[in-house]
């Protein structure tokens, strides 16, 4: 994990896969941004966005999403970046 002051958040980096995602706390939400989110499997449809590359998970309250869904996205991001 690395703080990104210019981003107003922090990023997660995998030793082999590189940058995986960023966490951006806001006043009422927390956004988990996946740089290559458009290419990740999202069976629970929790990713938002329409760009050709990035997608976000926006969390409005604690416990909103099961941890296993977030973990699956992080694992998929690592697998995608290593491929």
């Amino acid at each position: 994990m690395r703080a990104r002051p210019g981003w107003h958040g922090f990023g997660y980096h995998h030793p082999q896969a590189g940058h995986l995602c960023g966490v951006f706390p806001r006043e009422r939400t927390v956004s988990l941004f996946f740089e290559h989110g458009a290419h990740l499997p999202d069976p629970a449809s929790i990713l938002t966005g329409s760009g050709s590359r990035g997608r976000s998970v926006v969390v409005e309250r604690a416990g909103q999403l099961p941890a296993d869904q977030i973990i699956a996205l992080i694992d998929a991001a690592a697998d995608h970046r290593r491929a």
Side-chain angles (χ1 to χ4, degrees), residues 4 9 11 20-21 28 32 47-48 50 53 63 65 68 70 76 78:
R4 304 283 186 171
L20 298 181
C21 60
R28 292 194 168 98
L32 178 60
L47 290 170
T48 62
S50 60
R53 193 163 147 175
L65 300 170
D68 61 333
I70 301 295

Side-chain angles (χ1 to χ4, degrees), residues 4 7 11-14 17-22 33 35-36 77 81:
R4 304 283 186 171
W7 292 5
Y12 282 96
H13 186 269
H14 185 277
H19 177 73
L20 298 181
C21 60
F33 179 78
E35 184 177 358
H36 299 277
R81 296 284 290 155

Side-chain angles (χ1 to χ4, degrees), residues 4 9 14 18 25 31 35 38 40 43 46 48 54-55 59 61 66-67 83:
R4 304 283 186 171
H14 185 277
S31 179
E35 184 177 358
L40 301 179
I46 61 173
T48 62
R55 297 282 187 278
V59 179
R61 66 186 183 287

Side-chain angles (χ1 to χ4, degrees), residues 42-74:
D42 183 22
S45 299
I46 61 173
L47 290 170
T48 62
S50 60
S52 63
R53 193 163 147 175
R55 297 282 187 278
S56 295
V57 175
V58 179
V59 179
E60 296 176 350
R61 66 186 183 287
Q64 176 181 339
L65 300 170
D68 61 333
Q69 292 177 356
I70 301 295
I71 292 167
L73 281 173
I74 294 169

